[in-house]
Amino acid sequence: MPFNAAQNLSFLIRHLVRRNPAALARARGLVERERRPWEALQAEQAARLRLTLQTARQRLPRYADIPPLPEGADVFAWLRQHYPVVSKPELVAQRAAFYPNQGRRRAWWPLGKTSGSSGAPLEIFRSVQSVIWEEAFQLQFWHWAGHRNGQAQAILRGDQVMDIQIQRPPYWVWDRFGRQLLVSTRHLSAGTAGSMLDAIGAAGARQLRAYPSSAHELAKAAERLAHPLRLTAVVTGSEPVYPAQREQIERSLGCKVFDFYGMAERVAFAGQCEHGSYHLNPEYSYVEILDEQGAATDDFGYVVGTTLHNHVMPLIRYRIADRARWVAGDCACGRRYPRIELSSGKVEDQLYDREGTPISAGIITFAVKYLANIKKTQVAQTGPGQWELRVVPDVHYTQADEQALREHFDHYVSLKVDAKIRLMDDIPLQASGKFKWITQEWAGAKTLAASAP
Ligand SMILES: [Zn+2]
């Protein structure tokens, strides 16, 4: 099958599986319910949580011995009392206990993967229903940003749009089923940004969904070129969005940035409303914020979430490395969803290729996303166009894994970087105790950042 036909077919399948009438109907329901009184939302959440705990007892050996929830009991209190907080290392080490079917994925369970940016990569088995729900939550959030179903949008994220070797435009593909222009983030540079801005305008896109670092690059170019493109919203996610990036994007593209917070484990989802608050979606998951000792706190603590829609492999009180705190009071937007403030804990440095073009952290994760036999990785820039891919191998690591890492890097990240693979016994934490997955160690980068157009 020629490339274009294959890509069209994959767009159609994606459209039918995800943005189907079921997802659209669910999204409409979410929007209708989002301004209900908190008590009504919480009752709904409690019902879904009860179902999730029941599924976990039936499917996952780790929870089989926990007594069933008594009739009329408070499910939130029951959860805190009987279910331990867990995190990634336990799931990796005790696969038979935390996964269904002895850890063997059935063909009809979609596979989710974490990037491995905070340690080892992790697999999640998903239900088809939870994939459709995921799309509904995204559609609800885009609705907050002003997007309506059927409007064209542009995407500048991790999608594999075209071969990295291609050196001339078009650096984009039109998905006619989803009405989205997929722009190749891997081809974004000062030299290509102008043609990308033209293409986004020609497609009639009103909303851009992008990695913050990519949207920032595009916005800088728009300003430099005095490009006329104006959008209704830029939706960002997957990396922290820094104030200077937000300001540049809003100024250059004439619209607000709507950022969202989520993760591959899908235990929490928060999206910014038109007033800038991050609202945690109570229909998506049940979230606690816990201190080092596992007690609830009003200060910054770990985000601990329980899934409500994945009945293949529920995650119960799953702790992630991100930190947040509750924001008191109601938001002017009228939605009753609780608000959180995220700690900018996940600070990643900016790395550059040999031409001085910044490479997005979201793109760099593709180097390691689908690799096996690796305990930990870190990507460092050590000189002009020189990077080190640091790997802590596990006992099964072989030359083939090294070869795969190199191929992934060349294929998904960049051909304009001299990348060396370096095997290590361990990768030390920062002085602050945090693990920095992407680290800039070349002194010249400072001048590059300062002189960037
Ligand atoms: Zn709000």
Side-chain angles (χ1 to χ4, degrees):
M1 198 181 312
F3 181 70
N4 277 340
Q7 203 161 31
N8 264 326
L9 184 62
S10 87
F11 289 151
L12 176 61
I13 291 168
R14 179 158 72 172
H15 194 65
L16 293 175
V17 171
R18 296 196 187 157
R19 213 163 303 163
N20 55 23
L24 293 171
R26 284 176 193 179
R28 273 196 302 276
L30 289 166
V31 170
E32 278 163 23
R33 292 190 296 273
E34 66 190 24
R35 286 185 171 81
R36 277 188 182 176
W38 175 240
E39 292 68 30
L41 290 167
Q42 206 176 26
E44 181 82 16
Q45 191 183 42
R48 291 199 180 280
L49 183 56
R50 273 187 214 105
L51 214 57
T52 291
L53 295 187
Q54 194 184 327
T55 307
R57 287 179 55 247
Q58 287 162 355
R59 297 197 85 128
L60 310 178
R62 175 65 184 83
Y63 303 110
D65 295 333
I66 293 178
L69 179 73
E71 195 78 28
D74 175 349
V75 65
F76 302 107
W78 184 264
L79 177 77
R80 284 193 294 276
Q81 196 184 341
H82 291 278
Y83 290 79
V85 174
V86 301
S87 53
K88 189 191 280 183
E90 288 156 275
L91 261 66
V92 172
Q94 303 170 52
R95 193 175 170 101
F98 286 104
Y99 284 69
N101 195 36
Q102 288 93 49
R104 291 191 302 268
R105 186 171 69 91
R106 296 193 191 278
W108 56 91
W109 293 342
L111 182 65
K113 277 215 165 195
T114 66
S115 67
S117 60
S118 55
L122 177 77
E123 288 187 344
I124 307 283
F125 302 161
R126 305 173 68 191
S127 67
V128 171
Q129 285 300 328
S130 73
V131 173
I132 296 171
W133 269 113
E134 188 71 27
E135 187 70 15
F137 287 110
Q138 296 290 336
L139 288 166
Q140 176 195 18
F141 174 54
W142 302 345
H143 191 270
W144 295 8
H147 179 76
R148 296 296 174 264
N149 190 40
Q151 287 178 349
Q153 50 178 326
I155 301 171
L156 192 61
R157 290 179 49 88
D159 302 84
Q160 186 64 28
V161 176
M162 59 193 40
D163 197 295
I164 201 163
Q165 307 269 6
I166 292 173
Q167 296 288 329
R168 56 175 196 282
Y171 306 109
W172 48 83
V173 173
W174 174 247
D175 161 13
R176 64 191 164 104
F177 304 101
R179 294 190 52 72
Q180 348 186 70
L181 187 76
L182 286 101
V183 183
S184 177
T185 306
R186 294 169 184 87
H187 288 87
L188 173 62
S189 70
T192 60
S195 67
M196 291 181 178
L197 287 159
D198 290 344
I200 293 169
R206 308 296 296 134
Q207 170 172 290
L208 169 69
R209 286 161 42 215
Y211 292 141
S213 54
S214 313
H216 181 230
E217 272 308 292
L218 193 71
K220 280 196 297 187
E223 191 167 69
R224 196 176 59 241
L225 300 167
H227 199 279
L229 181 70
R230 292 293 175 269
L231 300 171
T232 51
V234 173
V235 169
T236 58
S238 311
E239 303 165 0
V241 49
Y242 300 112
Q245 292 177 327
R246 187 186 289 269
E247 199 243 333
Q248 173 86 58
I249 297 166
E250 295 189 340
R251 186 175 69 230
S252 307
L253 299 175
C255 64
K256 274 181 96 73
V257 169
F258 290 78
D259 184 46
F260 72 90
Y261 164 70
M263 69 295 301
E265 291 94 332
R266 300 184 168 83
V267 295
F269 183 88
Q272 279 195 302
C273 72
E274 57 276 28
H275 292 275
S277 303
Y278 284 86
H279 287 279
L280 204 54
N281 197 317
E283 297 216 37
Y284 186 90
S285 65
Y286 171 64
V287 171
E288 303 166 79
I289 294 180
L290 305 180
D291 65 17
E292 301 280 351
Q293 284 72 42
T297 176
D298 285 332
D299 204 343
F300 279 106
Y302 291 105
V303 175
V304 174
T306 299
T307 56
L308 298 177
H309 298 281
N310 185 357
H311 290 280
V312 163
M313 181 181 163
L315 291 177
I316 312 279
R317 304 193 84 198
Y318 182 87
R319 189 178 88 167
I320 38 188
D322 301 328
R323 293 164 69 82
R325 72 174 163 200
W326 299 112
V327 174
D330 291 332
C331 183
C333 75
R335 294 180 187 87
R336 294 293 168 239
Y337 289 9
R339 292 186 293 167
I340 56 165
E341 178 189 348
L342 292 155
S343 155
S344 50
K346 211 179 187 176
V347 179
E348 282 151 352
D349 291 343
Q350 182 62 64
L351 306 193
Y352 301 89
D353 68 12
R354 71 172 81 94
E355 291 169 3
T357 301
I359 308 282
S360 144
I363 289 296
I364 298 172
T365 61
F366 280 87
V368 297
K369 209 166 186 171
Y370 299 101
L371 295 182
N373 306 326
I374 283 174
K375 277 204 248 175
K376 218 188 255 185
T377 56
Q378 184 178 53
V379 181
Q381 180 163 11
T382 53
Q386 288 164 5
W387 294 17
E388 242 179 45
L389 313 179
R390 296 169 184 162
V391 171
V392 181
D394 77 8
V395 290
H396 305 295
Y397 186 86
T398 65
Q399 202 55 41
D401 295 304
E402 182 150 328
Q403 189 58 34
L405 173 57
R406 180 154 302 283
E407 281 168 13
H408 273 63
F409 188 88
D410 290 346
H411 193 69
Y412 295 118
V413 184
S414 178
L415 289 171
K416 297 172 183 169
V417 168
D418 305 311
K420 275 199 190 69
I421 296 173
R422 186 171 152 203
L423 298 184
M424 301 180 71
D425 294 330
D426 197 9
I427 298 167
L429 299 175
Q430 303 287 111
S432 65
K434 281 180 189 143
F435 179 70
K436 198 186 244 180
W437 185 61
I438 295 178
T439 168
Q440 179 54 266
E441 299 172 0
W442 171 48
K446 281 198 187 69
T447 356
L448 206 55
S451 68

